[in-house]
Amino acid sequence: MTGTPADGGSRDIQDVDALITDRYLESILAAHGRGADTGPTLAGARLDPNVRMAAEHLARDLPRLHPSFRFEEALARKLGEAAARMRLPLAAGGERVIVPLAGRSPFLPVAARDDDDRFRLRADPRLAIGRPLLIGGALTSAALSLAGAAYVAWRIRHPQTSPMARAVRAVARTRLA
Amino acid sequence: MTRPALRKVERPEDGGPRLAHLDRDRRLVEAAQSDPARFEALYRKYLAQVYSFAYYELRDHHEAEDATERTFLAALANLARFEERARPADGEGASTFRVWLFQIARNAVAERRRRQRRRREEPLEAAATVADPLDVEATAIRHDATTAAVRAISHLPGDRRRALILRFVDEMSTQEIAGILGRSEGAVRVLIHRALRSVARELDDRPR
């Protein structure tokens, strides 16, 4: 379905305006990133003054937010524990482990983006099974290989200071106990 | 201006090496894929951005934390299956990991929104006061402007609002936003332009 020539012309104008707006946003956001004022720009001069003022207002006044440090560290610990659960079977000689936290995450982007392979996920039919899986290696601590045990021991002897690393070590100690 | 990072990639099937665009986060992603404990670097890098996006969308501190937590846990659990490929067309410093992470965040936020029985407006005021909590005078002066900005984008419909949040708060490129919203770059440019016109009208109408 095609529009009238007038519609096409209107769309073209809109596209050009949108492109000018985009160029202007690039310049003001880059300037804000450097902590500098935006000087006069060609795109700014061609832009609708109301749109320009709105863009400057948002760039200047929209706050960026950070969660509480308590939340940040608590989530770091949770991620560390999840990472440890993923690492131990790897250390035991497993080729790769996938530990779905509650089956396959419903939040994952749709994998079937055939038009854009940047977001392609490695297809593996086994991922549809909603429970922890180990592909090509041992599953439990009882099946730790010598190489895996040596690797875990090495990690424990080389401590890191972050909460995530501490959580990884704590889970490792629990599993080895 | 720095030059795009490129590296040689061996492609025997093509008869020799070629240059491939090096994704900004590629080293961090590869490190985390080989050792999940090293996911922490990506987590620390993008925590505030994901949380900001979630907070602007959900307008509730606890809901935003919940969506943020689900986003990072899902990303870690599925990182081994993520294949990161930036293209020169994605622009300098592009990160397909960030796009992938925000796709997850968008889905997590959508799920939380579905669960919200009603939307609460009060936390918007809280967002407005977070601009610089240590500088009381400056915060007071900027409070009105910040409140107006937050309120103006909160009145926008779905993808227009998301596009402005990703552009202005998370400072993403048009290409990245297109990847997250599943639209073409041209469509995102028009979306942002229209959204700014709406914001301009809203700011113009507010009582002074």
Side-chain angles (χ1 to χ4, degrees):
Chain A
M1 193 152 62
T2 58
T4 64
D7 291 340
S10 160
R11 272 200 303 273
D12 288 346
I13 291 169
Q14 184 174 255
D15 288 344
V16 170
D17 285 347
L19 198 58
I20 292 169
T21 303
D22 191 57
R23 293 288 175 272
Y24 183 67
L25 295 185
E26 286 291 336
S27 66
I28 63 169
L29 291 174
H32 277 269
R34 296 192 305 270
D37 286 333
T38 316
T41 63
L42 184 61
R46 296 176 62 187
L47 195 59
D48 175 346
N50 291 327
V51 172
R52 189 174 70 232
M53 284 175 61
E56 287 169 0
H57 189 151
L58 295 185
R60 188 182 57 240
D61 294 318
L62 277 182
R64 297 180 76 174
L65 306 169
H66 197 289
S68 69
F69 289 108
R70 190 172 163 187
F71 168 78
E72 180 176 354
E73 297 310 315
L75 182 51
R77 275 194 299 278
K78 281 186 189 175
L79 289 167
E81 288 162 7
R85 286 196 297 274
M86 296 164 79
R87 280 171 76 198
L88 278 176
L90 271 177
E95 183 181 294
R96 170 160 288 160
V97 65
I98 293 160
V99 184
L101 296 157
R104 190 180 185 285
S105 172
F107 310 129
L108 277 182
V110 177
R113 289 187 56 133
D114 296 334
D115 58 327
D116 192 343
D117 65 3
R118 289 176 300 166
F119 308 108
R120 190 159 57 98
L121 296 171
R122 296 189 187 110
D124 188 333
R126 288 169 290 192
L127 299 176
I129 302 170
R131 58 190 167 83
L133 276 178
L134 174 68
I135 304 168
L139 181 58
T140 66
S141 58
L144 278 173
S145 70
L146 285 176
Y151 176 73
V152 171
W154 181 87
R155 290 301 305 175
I156 292 169
R157 281 201 310 274
H158 293 76
Q160 297 169 23
T161 55
S162 68
M164 196 155 168
R166 283 200 298 274
V168 168
R169 288 202 308 278
V171 173
R173 278 195 297 273
T174 307
R175 291 288 185 93
L176 290 172
Chain B
M1 181 178 284
T2 56
R3 298 174 60 193
L6 300 167
R7 72 173 179 182
K8 272 188 176 178
V9 176
E10 294 294 337
R11 290 282 300 265
E13 67 273 21
D14 292 347
R18 65 178 178 83
L19 289 177
H21 200 69
L22 185 61
D23 193 293
R24 184 178 58 193
D25 288 322
R26 181 169 298 209
R27 291 181 200 287
L28 293 176
V29 169
E30 286 175 349
Q33 284 177 328
S34 62
D35 178 358
R38 295 175 71 180
F39 181 73
E40 183 174 8
L42 289 163
Y43 163 66
R44 301 281 183 190
K45 183 174 182 179
Y46 289 119
L47 172 65
Q49 289 187 23
V50 169
Y51 175 79
S52 284
F53 174 70
Y55 188 90
Y56 273 94
E57 281 290 277
L58 296 165
R59 310 180 194 183
D60 181 277
H61 167 67
H62 297 293
E63 296 276 357
E65 284 188 346
D66 188 79
T68 302
E69 179 174 321
R70 286 164 183 265
T71 298
F72 281 104
L73 287 171
L76 172 63
N78 293 280
L79 190 65
R81 292 186 290 142
F82 172 65
E83 203 169 321
E84 188 169 10
R85 293 182 178 186
R87 305 172 304 189
D90 293 330
E92 219 172 290
S95 169
T96 50
F97 171 77
R98 181 160 79 155
V99 170
W100 183 70
L101 182 68
F102 270 78
Q103 286 175 338
I104 298 173
R106 186 185 168 207
N107 292 338
V109 163
E111 193 266 346
R112 298 309 301 171
R113 283 178 78 101
R114 280 194 292 273
R115 290 185 179 209
Q116 280 181 334
R117 290 184 180 172
R118 59 189 174 90
R119 294 167 71 167
R120 285 165 284 184
E121 298 291 334
E122 294 80 6
L124 282 175
E125 303 299 327
T129 60
V130 179
D132 191 354
L134 298 179
D135 188 342
V136 175
E137 189 179 356
T139 299
I141 291 169
R142 293 185 63 181
H143 183 270
D144 284 351
T146 302
T147 303
V150 172
R151 194 165 277 162
I153 64 162
S154 73
H155 291 163
L156 294 170
D159 272 359
R160 287 191 189 186
R161 181 183 65 250
R162 281 174 213 117
L164 287 194
I165 293 167
L166 294 170
R167 195 77 168 102
F168 286 94
V169 179
D170 291 317
E171 299 190 0
M172 289 190 181
S173 68
T174 306
Q175 292 93 333
E176 286 177 300
I177 297 169
I180 293 165
L181 299 184
R183 291 170 177 254
S184 71
E185 289 173 34
V188 168
R189 278 196 291 268
V190 170
L191 199 67
I192 288 174
H193 180 70
R194 287 179 176 168
L196 282 174
R197 291 177 72 118
S198 300
V199 168
R201 278 195 297 274
E202 164 111 13
L203 294 175
D204 199 42
D205 289 345
R206 76 185 161 121
R208 295 167 200 277

